[in-house]
Amino acid sequence: MAETTFGNATQVLEPFRGIKKVTLEEYFTSGHRTCQGCESALVMKLMVKAAGPRTIVLGSTGCMYVANTTYYTTPWVVPWMHTQLGSSGSAALGTAAGLKALMRKGKMKAEPINVIAFCGDGGGADMGLGAISATLTHKEYNSLILLYDNESYANTDIQLSGLTPYGAHTTFSPPGKVHRLIHKRWKKNVAGLMAAGHPECRYVATVCASYAVEMMNKVRRALTIGGPTFIHSLDPCPKGWDYDPMLSHELGELAIETGIFPLYEVEDGVVKYYGKTKAIVEGRPRKPVRDYLLKQGRFAHFTEEDLSYFQEKVDEQWDKWEIPGVVPFRKLDAAQAALNAK
Ligand SMILES: Cc1ncc(C[n+]2csc(CCOP(=O)(O)OP(=O)(O)O)c2C)c(N)n1
Ligand code: SF4
Ligand SMILES: [Mg+2]
């Protein structure tokens, strides 16, 4: 049992040192009806495997609720509860507070129980952003909010969200003859936003299930450190991204190798890159974004001009950001040069 700085006990979940050390027990099993190749379902499985049996999972409306819990069937082995689309933050905080109160009053055994609330990109980065933000200010309650990002409102047939990539074809942004690109907004930097804006949140990480052991270890770290924590997972979605389901794993890798989705953690304000992102920061060349984009039908309408724009925007986050891939302020040396020029 680990005591955090503010006296909240958490479970001590040491990192798995390699795939052979990963526990065999499953807490998200058969009985769900997600699409073939659904990475978000894999994220659920790995997330709760990493957390272990003394865990409560809460989930907001979306594919991971609807496809997972048909009446009288569920793949969840641990206690699970559905919550309203914008409420993963409130559900996490309320459950953590409820558990604490019951334990304080002696109505249940005092023991550290993991509270994980998941949300989609629509539920988390758009509708429920305020509730998550509020939860991340309450350091006296232990909870993990995991945002599974399939880059659309997938469950209601692939509408664009604040995390849909620039130019993607969704049901709200079909390419047409007059306007080839309907969606021209750049994806929100949601993990950077959470890390930079919530001083009481000790741990924020980005993950991708293509790197499963690392992904599970980030979940274990978040639950061990205590207080409110946040993880952003990028999840290839064969239906919404329009590709052969066998490519899910490869697309996850390409998102990292092209530098589109950096893997990092921010613990107590210290940024640490990991995996192939670390290699990129250390100088390994990034793959061109076209290798990733052109494998997906949602970008099939892209011209060379669109590909170049996308590449430029990704280059910018590596070459011009103060903390590459994390904090989008322009580099201080550039700011200093501007001051000197006056
Ligand atoms: C307040 C509210 N508005 C709209 C809906 C309809 N709805 C159900 S699931 C969903 C999509 C959620 O998208 P996301 O959070 O990204 O999860 P995904 O379906 O992609 O897994 C929507 C719009 C709802 N359930 N509640
Ligand atoms: S639409 Fe996408 S996220 Fe939803 S179940 Fe299918 S693959 Fe998974
Ligand atoms: Mg979604």
Side-chain angles (χ1 to χ4, degrees):
M1 213 184 272
E3 286 292 324
T4 63
T5 49
F6 45 88
N8 271 359
T10 61
Q11 291 175 36
V12 179
L13 301 167
E14 298 291 347
F16 294 127
R17 307 261 174 226
I19 191 75
K20 290 185 182 159
K21 303 287 181 195
V22 173
T23 46
L24 292 177
E25 291 80 10
E26 300 290 354
Y27 306 106
F28 176 92
T29 61
S30 53
H32 64 84
R33 301 195 307 176
T34 64
C35 309
Q36 185 185 17
C38 174
E39 285 288 282
S40 295
L42 180 62
V43 165
M44 296 295 118
K45 177 183 154 96
L46 298 176
M47 170 188 87
V48 70
K49 186 190 255 292
R54 303 305 287 159
T55 299
I56 294 175
V57 179
L58 316 153
S60 70
T61 325
C63 281
M64 290 305 107
Y65 158 52
V66 179
N68 277 335
T69 44
T70 314
Y71 191 53
Y72 274 161
T73 71
T74 179
W76 294 105
V77 176
V78 295
W80 180 86
M81 186 192 82
H82 167 238
T83 186
Q84 189 269 344
L85 185 48
S87 300
S88 58
S90 323
L93 188 59
T95 303
L99 285 173
K100 212 171 170 181
L102 288 171
M103 289 178 199
R104 190 181 63 242
K105 290 177 181 173
K107 293 195 171 174
M108 65 184 282
K109 186 182 146 205
E111 63 167 318
I113 293 178
N114 302 317
V115 174
I116 305 179
F118 67 74
C119 52
D121 46 306
D126 288 346
M127 292 190 197
L129 195 58
I132 295 174
S133 178
T135 300
L136 296 186
T137 67
H138 282 271
K139 67 178 180 183
E140 66 276 33
Y141 299 114
N142 302 328
S143 66
L144 163 62
I145 295 171
L146 186 142
L147 189 155
Y148 70 94
D149 178 11
N150 51 24
E151 300 192 318
S152 78
Y153 289 77
N155 183 240
T156 37
D157 207 19
I158 324 297
Q159 290 84 31
L160 74 81
S161 78
L163 298 193
T164 301
Y166 173 88
H169 178 171
T170 67
T171 47
F172 277 3
S173 56
K177 285 192 181 130
V178 179
H179 297 291
R180 186 181 68 258
L181 300 184
I182 302 292
H183 174 46
K184 293 186 177 174
R185 288 172 280 148
W186 198 253
K187 183 179 169 103
K188 282 186 202 178
N189 174 18
V190 69
L193 167 75
M194 297 306 180
H198 298 89
E200 303 289 11
C201 168
R202 297 184 59 199
Y203 190 82
V204 170
T206 59
V207 300
C208 179
S210 296
Y211 305 97
V213 177
E214 279 171 329
M215 183 248 157
M216 285 188 279
N217 285 341
K218 303 302 168 207
V219 170
R220 288 169 79 80
R221 185 64 193 147
L223 293 169
T224 301
I225 198 168
T229 54
F230 181 82
I231 291 181
H232 178 190
S233 173
L234 182 73
D235 303 357
C237 160
K239 182 181 169 198
W241 301 13
D242 188 13
Y243 63 84
D244 188 312
M246 75 173 186
L247 292 179
S248 290
H249 182 89
E250 186 183 340
L251 279 169
E253 289 181 329
L254 280 169
I256 316 306
E257 289 168 341
T258 54
I260 289 173
F261 190 78
L263 294 178
Y264 63 88
E265 59 183 358
V266 185
E267 181 170 327
D268 290 329
V270 178
V271 177
K272 198 167 133 196
Y273 299 101
Y274 71 95
K276 291 194 174 161
T277 300
K278 185 163 181 273
I280 289 173
V281 175
E282 287 166 352
R284 179 186 178 147
R286 280 175 276 119
K287 289 189 174 168
V289 298
R290 63 189 304 132
D291 292 6
Y292 171 74
L293 300 177
L294 295 182
K295 284 196 160 60
Q296 305 169 53
R298 63 181 174 156
F299 301 111
H301 55 293
F302 266 31
T303 61
E304 283 302 320
E305 189 191 340
D306 303 329
L307 291 166
S308 300
Y309 178 78
F310 208 108
Q311 184 67 62
E312 270 168 37
K313 290 288 286 183
V314 174
D315 292 348
E316 206 174 277
Q317 82 175 13
W318 289 102
D319 303 337
K320 297 196 176 149
W321 287 18
E322 179 63 35
I323 302 178
V326 185
V327 176
F329 301 142
R330 292 299 179 265
K331 281 185 175 160
L332 280 179
D333 49 0
Q336 197 57 50
L339 280 173
N340 294 343
K342 282 187 183 167

